[in-house]
Amino acid sequence: MKLTVWTYEGPPHVGAMRVATGMTGLHYVLHAPQGDTYADLLFTMIERRGHRPPVSYTTFQARDLGADTANLFKTALQDARERFQPQAMIVGSSCTAELIQDDPEGMSATMDLGIPIIPLELPSYQRKENFGTDETFFQIVKRLARPMDRTAHVSANLIGPTGLGFRHRDDIVEVTALLEEMGISVNVVAPMGASPADIARMGAAHFNVLMYPEHAEAAARWAERNLGQPYTKTVPIGVGATRDFIQEVAQIAGVAPKADDARLRMPWYSQSVDSTYLTGKRVFLFGDATHVRAMARVARDEMGFEVVGMGCYNREFARDIRALAKEYGVEALITDDYLEVEQAIEELAPEMILGTQMERHIGKRLGIPCAVISAPVHVQDFPARYSPQMGWEGANVIFDTLVHPLVMGLEEHLLHMFREDFEFHSEAGASHHGGAAKLRAVDAAPEPDTAQPGAAQAPAEGEIVWLSDAEKELKKIPFFVRGKARRNTEKFALEKGVSEISVETLYEAKAHYAR
Amino acid sequence: MTDAAHLPPAPARGCRDVPVLKERGQREVFCGLTGIIWLHRKMQDAFFLVVGSRTCAHLLQSAAGVMIFAEPRFGTAILEEKDLAGLACANEELDREVDRLLSRRPDIRQLFLVGSCPSEVIKLDLHRAAERLTQKHAPHVRVLNYSGSGIETTFTEGEDACLAAMVPTLPDTDERQLLMVGALPDVVEDQALGLLRDMGVSPVRCLPAHRAAEAPGVGAGTVVALTQPFLNETAAHLERRGARTLPAPFPFGEGGTTAWLWAVAQEFGVDADTFAKVTEAPRARARKAIAGAAETLKDKSIFFFPDSQLEIPLARFLTRECGMKAVEVGAPFINKQIVGPDLDLLAEGPTIAEGQDVDLQLERCRAARPDLTVCGLGLANPLEADGLATKWAIELVFTPVHFYEQAGDLAGLFARPLRRRALLSGLEGAA
């Protein structure tokens, strides 16, 4: 047993739902207790879908336990077949049904429904959501895709995008455009938007573009072995990765690496002098492995940040992320416990976090700017506007996304710097919130200085005291590095055996830790 | 007394005796675990530990939304492969997790071990675990257990199961008292207590209480006034301890609140003059506030999918006080003992449905094309995309909606989707 409040990933059957909901003409019959339909609202609310997910639940109740649940499953399967007329179905158990051992595979095999029924084996007590997407898509492809003649024209399948995927909708558009510029057409996009009939003609493509390894690596490998389709290893997130992706595609497809990057503004924005202050910003990355890998490169090589830590929550990619972290000279954090992530962030005290919804909240708590780069995400990260992560426009989007919280951070810093100023005192509120600003009277007396050096009570043994001048000086340091400065100074003082920190100690420590 | 001049008289034929359409099939409802989201806000020294799977944790996270980051007093002990292998081990694991939790949260006085589908199916005996852990952590912490599993409970039934589990632990008392049962938002609870105090009803106690130390007593002198219709088990447990449940409509709207208060007033011998004096002003305010929303709602048809058991009292409020027409009133469970007074006031006409086969119910809903459909979040957007206005039901459980001062807000919750639809009519065809 493990005590959890927040989970980065849902159970594996939610992954299967993401595949089913992404597709058309496919229906999922899930053997599950009443209540598991909660997962529908992830799709109807967070992704704002105007259709119910194509999932039928057996919704068994306590009184059904015993022989009846198997019948419920058969009835649900029969009903779904008649009502929705799918081209194929997937069947499986949720965590509770796994315990009652009704065997959807066996039961569906005995019923001749005239369409392919694909059983899913999703171990709920060992694996999680991303395993569920990958395994489900793999089983569907394995069952339905067949070797066939290649299209006359060079074509590729885009594989990996699912329902509830972070920016999957717009990434598809962007990658399609990249391929079109090289004269490569898209054969099938799957699972998103594909029907079982489309899966059946995946074999006609010359190669596969593996957009999200989390969701389609098993299928990509299978297609490589059984359909003779190579697949791309580079995920085109960021300028450098997009260029590498184009090279890789050109090589696989035997075409010229053409690229129309006229709309790419990111490199110039990053080179312009306004961006100089981004240099060496200390960032911490956390999310799914694919987005962390891509964003680490963007952060270091395209934004000029310093990567001070990275990690991922999906253990399937632990080895990859460990190797990557080594390249960056940092420690990899592989965990699905957000408290561990919070602790790591607190220790590293980065100036910016690139993470998921959870890291956004951790950042809020610690006062560190954060940009969301990976699922799990909330409703605001399924935007109405076009906002891919991949390709040229993706790079533009990423630049804005990464800079905005920092500009705001700088704004806040300036407000802090001038907070004794008559216009920027702490009660004045933010400058952009009109109406509420209160000016402080110019002749108002300054606040009395309460902290006296070497104050009344003597410090306890081994305790370090900040003299009031040093404390004041510390407050002049930008708030987002103040915590680190305080810790460094105290560590320095401890090492030197100094028990009182003066302004000198503060600056000696600063020089000591200067990079 | 309860039939004010402006309200229609009680219908000649209510819905108490109409045949109920009972359906079984796929149910699009929450499980009882969801109750934790609002219960933990009410009971300030309680922690809710679900013993379940990753699915349970994921559900709580999806239902709790952003609240999950405010150091909530709930969590899930996720069962792992090794817990399923042998039960003895699972008990040890649970004890260890509870020890860790309680050492980290010394402010906790009541710990609820909440059963889930997985823990019920493997027959993990949480009742014995609660007894064992109570002994271990007494007197500082009392450990209780109830099941919020989907196989046994639907949505608000989780609160019922929780309160019912508390009843046996309540102290005995012979005192004649009013026990107000159901977790209400604090602002609503205070208003209700104020009205009862002004009428001279005393003493009045609440279940659940804010803190374990304030838990009410129960006994033969206790009169129970339910504020929520889904407290079937709790009422039965209280009756077993000698208490008596007052039959009354539920306090939604001006009429419902007045009828509820009048039932209490009669029981406690409050004279009609005092009752009128106390209720006159808030009744007038409630009428006025409802009138605004009722303009939008008048003559509109409404269809309820089953969700919380609030459907029947709400249908009564919307038809009698806002002029709506009910097409179908679905509830996950109907206890005529408890919602009988509301059924009496709901004029014959709508289909009363218990249970669900969601695909069949959707067919009926689409055929009826109601002006407003009350349903869960899994159905709301798909129905909107079909051109039907919806009001998502879960909000009715979180938002203060009971008693006089909230009557206008309650009507407003139903009027808003219709007003919005009218405002956005220029967008038609744009999507």
Side-chain angles (χ1 to χ4, degrees), chain B residues 30-374:
Chain B
F30 279 124
C31 66
L33 294 182
T34 332
I36 293 170
I37 311 289
W38 65 87
L39 279 172
H40 89 284
R41 304 307 313 155
K42 189 71 195 175
M43 292 186 249
Q44 294 166 4
D45 56 3
F47 192 101
F48 293 81
L49 179 62
V50 177
V51 181
S53 64
R54 178 168 301 280
T55 310
C56 307
H58 197 234
L59 158 86
L60 282 179
Q61 163 173 329
S62 308
V66 294
M67 209 196 277
I68 204 132
F69 298 101
E71 284 284 322
R73 280 172 288 102
F74 59 81
T76 310
I78 294 186
L79 293 165
E80 293 167 302
E81 197 72 16
K82 59 177 193 269
D83 300 308
L84 304 175
L87 287 178
C89 168
N91 284 325
E92 278 167 35
E93 294 264 314
L94 180 62
D95 289 8
R96 190 198 60 220
E97 287 302 323
V98 167
D99 289 351
R100 268 176 48 187
L101 172 70
L102 291 177
S103 65
R104 218 161 52 194
R105 297 295 301 265
D107 51 323
I108 298 304
R109 293 286 180 279
Q110 310 177 68
L111 175 67
F112 288 95
L113 300 179
V114 188
S116 65
C117 301
S119 74
E120 295 295 326
V121 166
I122 64 169
K123 303 218 184 308
L124 189 57
D125 193 341
L126 291 181
H127 188 71
R128 276 181 54 194
E131 284 175 354
R132 185 175 70 239
L133 288 162
T134 294
Q135 280 183 3
K136 189 169 173 187
H137 296 280
H140 191 71
V141 184
R142 187 201 286 274
V143 184
L144 295 172
N145 95 288
Y146 72 90
S147 172
S149 73
I151 55 176
E152 292 154 304
T153 58
T154 304
F155 194 31
T156 48
E157 279 176 10
E159 176 174 333
D160 189 26
C162 174
L163 301 190
M166 294 171 80
V167 172
T169 71
L170 299 177
D172 283 310
T173 179
D174 291 330
E175 194 182 20
R176 176 157 166 81
Q177 61 166 353
L178 181 70
L179 186 60
M180 206 163 75
V181 183
L184 293 176
D186 288 348
V187 56
V188 177
E189 187 176 291
D190 290 346
Q191 287 169 16
L193 292 174
L195 287 164
L196 294 168
R197 188 188 53 230
D198 293 348
M199 289 195 295
V201 177
S202 169
V204 184
R205 304 220 157 73
C206 298
L207 182 71
H210 282 110
R211 311 192 148 269
E214 298 158 14
V218 63
T222 302
V223 176
V224 171
L226 300 176
T227 59
Q228 301 279 22
F230 44 74
L231 299 170
N232 306 292
E233 284 296 308
T234 308
H237 277 61
L238 286 166
E239 280 162 15
R240 236 165 274 154
R241 299 264 320 249
R244 191 158 47 82
T245 307
L246 273 185
F250 285 89
F252 297 114
E254 189 245 325
T257 305
T258 305
W260 188 90
L261 286 170
W262 181 239
V264 175
Q266 280 181 310
E267 172 69 28
F268 283 81
V270 179
D271 63 83
D273 283 350
T274 309
F275 184 79
K277 214 183 300 163
V278 172
T279 57
E280 208 167 340
R283 286 181 75 174
R285 279 201 298 274
R287 269 200 297 276
K288 197 173 155 200
I290 293 169
E295 274 173 42
T296 312
L297 296 174
K298 196 168 180 332
D299 296 328
K300 299 286 196 301
S301 58
I302 187 160
F303 191 109
F304 284 89
F305 278 81
D307 196 57
S308 61
Q309 298 183 48
L310 296 175
E311 297 83 4
I312 287 170
L314 288 174
R316 184 264 301 153
F317 163 67
L318 292 166
T319 51
R320 279 175 69 75
E321 299 185 41
C322 302
M324 295 191 86
K325 292 187 166 56
V327 179
E328 174 163 334
V329 184
F333 177 70
I334 296 175
N335 179 346
K336 286 196 175 171
Q337 293 287 62
I338 286 180
V339 292
D342 280 295
L343 282 169
D344 289 336
L345 292 170
L346 183 61
E348 196 182 14
T351 305
I352 307 292
E354 185 183 20
Q356 188 176 35
D357 184 326
V358 72
D359 288 310
L360 296 181
Q361 197 165 26
L362 278 167
E363 277 173 12
R364 292 199 298 276
C365 179
R366 290 190 170 119
R369 292 208 72 77
D371 294 310
L372 188 63
T373 303
V374 182

Side-chain angles (χ1 to χ4, degrees), chain A residues 185-249:
Chain A
S185 56
V186 171
N187 181 50
V188 171
V189 181
M192 188 90 112
S195 66
D198 293 327
I199 302 287
R201 57 184 187 83
M202 274 177 64
H206 293 234
F207 66 103
N208 285 318
V209 172
L210 176 57
M211 291 176 68
Y212 309 100
E214 269 83 359
H215 307 313
E217 194 160 25
R221 292 215 173 109
W222 181 88
E224 186 176 49
R225 279 193 311 274
N226 296 282
L227 307 176
Q229 291 169 326
Y231 65 92
T232 55
K233 310 290 191 298
T234 314
V235 176
I237 296 177
V239 178
T242 301
R243 292 197 173 120
D244 290 354
F245 172 79
I246 287 166
Q247 290 296 335
E248 192 185 358
V249 165

